[in-house]
Amino acid sequence: MTASSSPALDVALAYHQAWTSHDLEKAMSYVADEIVCEAPAGRLVGAAAYREFMGPFVQILTSSKLIAAFGDQETALVMYDTETLPVKSAPGAECVTVKDGKITHSVFVFDRAPFDAARRDAR
Amino acid sequence: MTASSSPALDVALAYHQAWTSHDLEKAMSYVADEIVCEAPAGRLVGAAAYREFMGPFVQILTSSKLIAAFGDQETALVMYDTETLPVKSAPGAECVTVKDGKITHSVFVFDRAPFDAARRDAR
């Protein structure tokens, strides 16, 4: 893990700690109502849409490992690996913008291909 | 763009600047012969394998935009968006370990799904 203290990083890591501990409610407490998230499948607008995106992922998460985390006053960048029920190694990266202690914008990068493949295999 | 100066970040950004300028040779000059890269399709070992991975991507790249970049002594974390011929928005993130001015390890995250879809559509 690599971390340099910053207000945005503190929020990003608290959010990260919450969802990787399967505490979706606590994770959402760091997400602004008006969040805009650029996710692989398209733009998500608002906390409800974000919750619908994260909820199922948190349910299939079995373990996670922080790879690196950095931030400054308003921006944090976090990369991690996750192990999920369908996909053994599913690394992700998030660049979050934090205002007043909440994540208002996020760019979310992960590879959907192995999840798509697992869904096809399950049919 | 968010950047804090660090030896690893300097190398990561010089590498990034090179490949996003279609200068694969210059980009490879920042890559250690013994690089190990955890890429979406699996582990790449050695500069030759890395070049085979990056070369085709650099050829289809039409533009790029740095989203955030941070680093410390040995580690840098970079996120960017790219526009490619088959996929209009293909963001990626790289966490690189730098030793003696060269990238020795990399975790590379991007979404293969839209590239897979473009390939299917092209058939």
Side-chain angles (χ1 to χ4, degrees), chain A residues 84-102:
Chain A
T84 69
L85 290 174
V87 179
K88 201 181 167 196
S89 172
E94 292 171 63
C95 180
V96 299
T97 305
V98 174
K99 285 182 185 156
D100 299 327
K102 302 235 181 190

Side-chain angles (χ1 to χ4, degrees), chain B residues 8-46:
Chain B
L9 184 57
D10 291 346
V11 170
L13 289 178
Y15 157 79
H16 180 81
Q17 172 65 26
W19 75 258
T20 56
S21 306
H22 298 91
D23 192 341
L24 183 62
E25 293 312 309
K26 190 169 180 187
M28 291 304 300
S29 75
Y30 298 106
V31 173
D33 290 345
E34 69 279 16
I35 186 171
V36 174
C37 173
E38 312 293 346
R43 179 173 294 177
L44 304 166
V45 179

Side-chain angles (χ1 to χ4, degrees), chain A residues 96-110:
Chain A
V96 299
T97 305
V98 174
K99 285 182 185 156
D100 299 327
K102 302 235 181 190
I103 298 169
T104 58
H105 188 264
S106 165
V107 182
F108 210 128
V109 180
F110 69 95

Side-chain angles (χ1 to χ4, degrees), chain B residues 72-119:
Chain B
D72 59 17
Q73 286 293 312
E74 277 216 335
T75 306
L77 186 51
V78 176
M79 183 182 279
Y80 46 81
D81 199 5
T82 65
E83 185 176 325
T84 68
L85 289 174
V87 179
K88 202 181 165 193
S89 173
E94 291 171 64
C95 180
V96 299
T97 307
V98 174
K99 284 180 186 158
D100 299 327
K102 302 235 182 189
I103 298 168
T104 59
H105 187 263
S106 165
V107 182
F108 210 128
V109 180
F110 69 94
D111 182 18
R112 286 179 295 169
F115 292 96
D116 292 348
R119 252 192 304 271

